[in-house]
mmCIF file of all heavy atoms in Angstrom:
data_model
loop_
_atom_site.group_PDB
_atom_site.id
_atom_site.type_symbol
_atom_site.label_atom_id
_atom_site.label_comp_id
_atom_site.label_asym_id
_atom_site.label_seq_id
_atom_site.Cartn_x
_atom_site.Cartn_y
_atom_site.Cartn_z
ATOM 1 N N GLY A 486 26.473 155.964 34.710
ATOM 2 C CA GLY A 486 25.608 154.815 35.078
ATOM 3 C C GLY A 486 26.271 153.961 36.127
ATOM 4 O O GLY A 486 25.644 153.607 37.184
ATOM 5 N N ILE A 487 27.548 153.620 35.935
ATOM 6 C CA ILE A 487 28.211 152.732 36.943
ATOM 7 C C ILE A 487 28.361 153.345 38.290
ATOM 8 O O ILE A 487 28.146 152.718 39.340
ATOM 9 C CB ILE A 487 29.634 152.372 36.352
ATOM 10 C CG1 ILE A 487 29.455 151.394 35.089
ATOM 11 C CG2 ILE A 487 30.487 151.657 37.389
ATOM 12 C CD1 ILE A 487 28.912 150.046 35.395
ATOM 13 N N VAL A 488 28.826 154.621 38.346
ATOM 14 C CA VAL A 488 29.012 155.257 39.603
ATOM 15 C C VAL A 488 27.655 155.439 40.335
ATOM 16 O O VAL A 488 27.555 155.228 41.571
ATOM 17 C CB VAL A 488 29.704 156.664 39.432
ATOM 18 C CG1 VAL A 488 29.730 157.422 40.724
ATOM 19 C CG2 VAL A 488 31.087 156.465 38.922
ATOM 20 N N LEU A 489 26.636 155.845 39.616
ATOM 21 C CA LEU A 489 25.327 155.967 40.199
ATOM 22 C C LEU A 489 24.741 154.668 40.695
ATOM 23 O O LEU A 489 24.148 154.512 41.748
ATOM 24 C CB LEU A 489 24.347 156.554 39.184
ATOM 25 C CG LEU A 489 22.939 156.987 39.647
ATOM 26 C CD1 LEU A 489 23.091 158.037 40.750
ATOM 27 C CD2 LEU A 489 22.123 157.456 38.507
ATOM 28 N N TRP A 490 25.108 153.551 39.911
ATOM 29 C CA TRP A 490 24.702 152.209 40.347
ATOM 30 C C TRP A 490 25.327 151.900 41.689
ATOM 31 O O TRP A 490 24.620 151.394 42.609
ATOM 32 C CB TRP A 490 25.096 151.252 39.191
ATOM 33 C CG TRP A 490 24.738 149.809 39.426
ATOM 34 C CD1 TRP A 490 24.146 149.254 40.459
ATOM 35 C CD2 TRP A 490 25.081 148.708 38.508
ATOM 36 N NE1 TRP A 490 24.022 147.868 40.304
ATOM 37 C CE2 TRP A 490 24.552 147.535 39.115
ATOM 38 C CE3 TRP A 490 25.681 148.685 37.248
ATOM 39 C CZ2 TRP A 490 24.698 146.299 38.471
ATOM 40 C CZ3 TRP A 490 25.808 147.453 36.637
ATOM 41 C CH2 TRP A 490 25.318 146.313 37.184
ATOM 42 N N GLY A 491 26.631 152.046 41.796
ATOM 43 C CA GLY A 491 27.309 151.729 43.056
ATOM 44 C C GLY A 491 26.745 152.579 44.202
ATOM 45 O O GLY A 491 26.514 152.084 45.312
ATOM 46 N N PHE A 492 26.533 153.850 43.929
ATOM 47 C CA PHE A 492 26.020 154.762 44.961
ATOM 48 C C PHE A 492 24.668 154.284 45.450
ATOM 49 O O PHE A 492 24.379 154.201 46.656
ATOM 50 C CB PHE A 492 25.927 156.183 44.365
ATOM 51 C CG PHE A 492 25.416 157.230 45.334
ATOM 52 C CD1 PHE A 492 26.292 157.876 46.148
ATOM 53 C CD2 PHE A 492 24.029 157.513 45.381
ATOM 54 C CE1 PHE A 492 25.732 158.837 47.122
ATOM 55 C CE2 PHE A 492 23.529 158.471 46.272
ATOM 56 C CZ PHE A 492 24.385 159.120 47.118
ATOM 57 N N ALA A 493 23.744 154.015 44.517
ATOM 58 C CA ALA A 493 22.359 153.663 44.841
ATOM 59 C C ALA A 493 22.308 152.396 45.616
ATOM 60 O O ALA A 493 21.610 152.280 46.641
ATOM 61 C CB ALA A 493 21.518 153.653 43.640
ATOM 62 N N PHE A 494 22.937 151.335 45.118
ATOM 63 C CA PHE A 494 22.780 150.013 45.701
ATOM 64 C C PHE A 494 23.350 150.012 47.087
ATOM 65 O O PHE A 494 22.847 149.363 47.987
ATOM 66 C CB PHE A 494 23.369 148.931 44.871
ATOM 67 C CG PHE A 494 23.303 147.568 45.581
ATOM 68 C CD1 PHE A 494 22.006 147.037 45.769
ATOM 69 C CD2 PHE A 494 24.363 146.947 46.182
ATOM 70 C CE1 PHE A 494 21.817 145.791 46.421
ATOM 71 C CE2 PHE A 494 24.220 145.755 46.835
ATOM 72 C CZ PHE A 494 22.954 145.216 46.977
ATOM 73 N N ASN A 495 24.460 150.679 47.313
ATOM 74 C CA ASN A 495 25.096 150.637 48.641
ATOM 75 C C ASN A 495 24.443 151.500 49.690
ATOM 76 O O ASN A 495 24.828 151.462 50.849
ATOM 77 C CB ASN A 495 26.574 150.977 48.493
ATOM 78 C CG ASN A 495 27.396 149.878 47.917
ATOM 79 O OD1 ASN A 495 27.808 148.941 48.659
ATOM 80 N ND2 ASN A 495 27.574 149.859 46.620
ATOM 81 N N MET A 496 23.342 152.194 49.282
ATOM 82 C CA MET A 496 22.494 152.788 50.305
ATOM 83 C C MET A 496 21.543 151.749 50.851
ATOM 84 O O MET A 496 21.058 151.885 51.995
ATOM 85 C CB MET A 496 21.632 153.888 49.656
ATOM 86 C CG MET A 496 22.432 155.104 49.149
ATOM 87 S SD MET A 496 21.397 156.301 48.241
ATOM 88 C CE MET A 496 20.532 157.047 49.650
#
Side-chain angles (χ1 to χ4, degrees):
I487 291 292
V488 173
L489 188 61
W490 181 0
F492 179 88
F494 177 69
N495 283 275
M496 296 174 74

